[in-house]
Amino acid sequence: MASSSGYRALQWNAGSGGLPVNETTFAKVLCQQGYTTGLIGKWHQGMNCDALNDHCHHPLNHGFDYFYGMPFTLLNNCQKNKPPELDAALQAKLWLYTQIIVFAVLTLTIGKITGLISTSWKIVAWIALAGSLFFISWYSSYGFVQYWNCILMRNYDITEQPMKLERTTALILEEAVSFIERNKHGPFLLLVSFLHVHTPLFTMEKFLGKSTHGLYGDNVEEMDWLVGKILDVVDREGLENNTFTYFASDHGGQLEAQEGKAQLGGWNGIYKGGKGMGGWEGGIRVPGIVRWPGVLPADTVIDEPTSLMDIYPTVAHLGGGIVPQDRIVDGQNLLPLLQGKVQQSEHEFMFHYCGSYLHAARWHQKDSGALWKAHYVTPIFHPEGAGACYGRGICPCSGDGVTHHDPPLLFDLSRDPSEAKPLSPGTEPLFDTVISRIERAVEEHRQTLTPVPQQLSLYNIMWKPWLQPCCGTFPFCWCDKEGDSAHPAL
């Protein structure tokens, strides 16, 4: 769901945007092959289109037989006493405008009472009414984010509204374990989309202070423990030799996520940039860890460019299905590379977007081993040279917050993985040849693109009260169906 606006993700459970109904997920492909499919954890691909409970974007409408988790994503707003994260800059402006209106009304009222201002009481009343309506119009959404967005669901039913973070980890683990145990006698697909490691980094007490890298490290330790617990169940049930496990992250660390001097968004090592930056390695180079005893060789490192988009054709192949033939599928089946049957990735070119804007492209020149990368657009770091957009909270994709490069910045990642020294015709004899080849590939790639409805348009992302999932009678949305019982998975 790429966007050309300033919003790159859904903002509300009560928005109308989401994963289009005509998309074919790998869950749907495997479901057609007789697999039982489940999603535990975060969805954040939308809920409803036109009416409450039409569930057009819901996981169960996209090939999953079972869903338990957050239909949205974790936010600071989900934890009390944390600064707001959702549209924080806009909220600050709305508060300012509200305060200006209140000050104006108070000034007019005092002036009228003291006789310093000759305006009528009717005008004062109308301004006060307009101000009240303005406040209600935005505070009814942003003032209750914890209730509107921070919920847990089981299939179509809300189980917690708002969710209780202190027990969410236990519930996610319990659900993942239960799904494996219920479906161990037949083929299954389980996607565990962790809420880790995302602000507010809520961590169980047993892991607080365990890491030497602060709260972020503690949260990573907790996630590592969760992964181990799930794999323990796979092994205990004797499923390890016929279970393909893939672990990855959806992006690099968010450098701008800070609280005082504490870094809450991770660290990207030698790689420049981070989350939200369309081209720099720090935002797109993530770990990919695979396990399949007896099929894939253990203790092997594959230093080849692959993509999260490769999960789709790989999973479809393993399940005996095929990817849709009526569209371009950018991913490649990873199995030959993972098994050592081939030594190089099938990806010759990769294209890196920020929203709907192409920021960079890479060329794996297999005959020479070079890994060229051309940056057409890069974010302007703030403060200058800081390595991230601390002044903005996250780097923009377009507008006055980016720099366009013509010719593009060129790096050879095989020699300069940190992207520290851009090449030039004077330092790289093949500069013009490489740029020409990459630009030809970009043009060919663009010819394959097809316009689609904007799921992240302003209308689609705005809060719509009539689409708000509610456990109760709107606006009195509250429930706790999980109770405070102990959770034996821990």
Side-chain angles (χ1 to χ4, degrees):
M1 294 190 296
S3 169
S4 56
S5 71
Y7 292 97
R8 284 177 264 170
L10 299 171
Q11 302 295 297
W12 302 98
N13 279 326
S16 53
L19 187 63
V21 295
N22 64 342
E23 287 294 343
T24 303
T25 64
F26 58 71
K28 190 172 291 185
V29 172
L30 263 62
C31 195
Q32 293 167 350
Q33 298 300 311
Y35 278 69
T36 301
T37 56
L39 168 61
I40 310 294
K42 179 175 76 171
W43 173 239
H44 205 192
Q45 297 293 313
M47 287 285 287
N48 302 302
C49 288
D50 302 310
L52 183 63
N53 299 327
D54 68 23
H55 296 131
C56 68
H57 301 306
H58 193 281
L60 269 59
N61 200 38
H62 281 290
F64 289 99
D65 298 310
Y66 183 77
F67 169 63
Y68 181 86
M70 280 191 81
F72 199 66
T73 187
L74 205 56
L75 296 166
N76 271 350
N77 306 72
C78 296
Q79 185 175 350
K80 295 179 180 179
N81 304 319
K82 288 284 185 179
E85 183 178 354
L86 183 69
D87 255 346
L90 177 59
Q91 285 191 65
K93 289 181 181 179
L94 293 172
W95 269 116
L96 176 62
Y97 298 154
T98 302
Q99 291 167 354
I100 290 173
I101 294 172
V102 170
F103 179 77
V105 170
L106 289 175
T107 300
L108 290 172
T109 301
I110 294 173
K112 178 67 176 175
I113 292 174
T114 59
L116 296 175
I117 297 176
S118 60
T119 188
S120 69
W121 283 113
K122 189 174 183 179
I123 292 177
V124 176
W126 275 112
I127 295 175
L129 177 61
S132 298
L133 292 175
F134 171 74
F135 174 73
I136 292 171
S137 70
W138 71 264
Y139 195 77
S140 60
S141 56
Y142 288 109
F144 300 91
V145 173
Q146 187 178 15
Y147 284 85
W148 303 153
N149 282 348
C150 306
I151 66 177
L152 286 180
M153 298 184 72
R154 177 177 287 107
N155 295 326
Y156 295 127
D157 298 323
I158 300 173
T159 61
E160 287 186 357
Q161 189 173 20
M163 60 195 290
K164 292 177 167 41
L165 291 180
E166 61 271 16
R167 66 188 185 203
T168 301
T169 297
L171 292 171
I172 293 294
L173 176 57
E174 184 178 321
E175 289 286 338
V177 170
S178 176
F179 181 88
I180 295 171
E181 292 176 340
R182 291 196 310 269
N183 297 287
K184 62 185 177 182
H185 296 299
F188 68 83
L189 166 74
L190 174 60
L191 173 58
V192 182
S193 180
F194 290 113
L195 304 183
H196 303 66
V197 282
H198 199 292
T199 51
L201 299 176
F202 192 89
T203 307
M204 293 188 298
E205 187 175 354
K206 65 188 288 186
F207 289 100
L208 290 176
K210 186 174 181 179
S211 165
T212 58
H213 297 284
L215 183 58
Y216 185 89
D218 295 344
N219 208 239
V220 172
E221 295 263 3
E222 182 176 283
M223 180 181 65
D224 178 68
W225 173 79
L226 283 171
V227 172
K229 285 290 187 180
I230 294 171
L231 292 179
D232 285 346
V233 177
V234 172
D235 295 347
R236 187 178 70 233
E237 299 295 344
L239 303 173
E240 67 272 19
N241 289 332
N242 61 350
T243 301
F244 175 82
T245 305
Y246 188 104
F247 175 89
S249 176
D250 54 349
H251 51 68
Q254 184 181 0
L255 303 180
E256 296 89 351
Q258 296 179 321
E259 191 171 279
K261 293 183 178 181
Q263 177 63 36
L264 302 181
W267 179 65
N268 297 318
I270 66 170
Y271 302 111
K272 180 180 290 187
K275 175 184 177 180
M277 303 181 203
W280 294 120
E281 288 292 283
I284 57 181
R285 187 181 287 234
V286 297
I289 304 172
V290 182
R291 190 187 88 147
W292 194 357
V295 179
L296 303 180
D299 301 321
T300 302
V301 177
I302 299 175
D303 189 17
E304 284 289 302
T306 63
S307 166
L308 289 180
M309 292 184 292
D310 296 334
I311 296 174
Y312 189 161
T314 302
V315 169
H317 171 79
L318 289 171
I322 58 173
V323 298
Q325 301 298 300
D326 61 345
R327 65 200 72 180
I328 300 294
V329 176
D330 295 303
Q332 302 287 345
N333 179 13
L334 288 174
L335 205 59
L337 182 65
L338 296 176
Q339 290 180 307
K341 294 180 179 179
V342 299
Q343 300 304 311
Q344 293 182 323
S345 166
E346 290 191 49
H347 290 286
E348 183 179 8
F349 294 95
M350 287 184 175
F351 307 97
H352 304 296
Y353 282 81
C354 183
S356 62
Y357 300 95
L358 179 69
H359 274 207
R362 73 178 67 208
W363 176 27
H364 188 200
Q365 192 177 8
K366 299 180 183 181
D367 56 350
S368 69
L371 189 55
W372 307 103
K373 186 161 161 209
H375 289 261
Y376 295 93
V377 183
T378 55
I380 298 173
F381 293 143
H382 186 273
E384 185 177 352
C389 301
Y390 295 102
R392 292 176 178 262
I394 192 167
C395 290
C397 297
S398 61
D400 60 3
V402 302
T403 300
H404 294 264
H405 302 282
D406 186 13
L409 301 179
L410 181 66
F411 301 90
D412 181 0
L413 299 180
S414 65
R415 294 178 286 168
D416 181 18
S418 299
E419 299 174 288
K421 299 177 181 178
L423 302 171
S424 67
T427 60
E428 176 51 63
L430 296 175
F431 183 90
D432 291 331
T433 302
V434 171
I435 292 297
S436 176
R437 182 66 188 93
I438 292 177
E439 290 187 342
R440 190 162 73 250
V442 167
E443 183 57 33
E444 292 171 357
H445 161 70
R446 283 181 167 145
Q447 295 300 317
T448 69
L449 302 179
T450 302
V452 295
Q454 285 283 334
Q455 297 298 321
L456 298 176
S457 66
L458 182 59
Y459 175 78
N460 278 335
I461 65 168
M462 68 184 293
W463 183 68
K464 302 175 180 66
W466 60 92
L467 296 182
Q468 178 60 53
C470 182
C471 188
T473 302
F474 183 84
F476 305 104
C477 304
W478 182 92
C479 67
D480 180 7
K481 298 179 182 179
E482 298 293 351
D484 291 314
S485 59
H487 301 287
L490 293 179

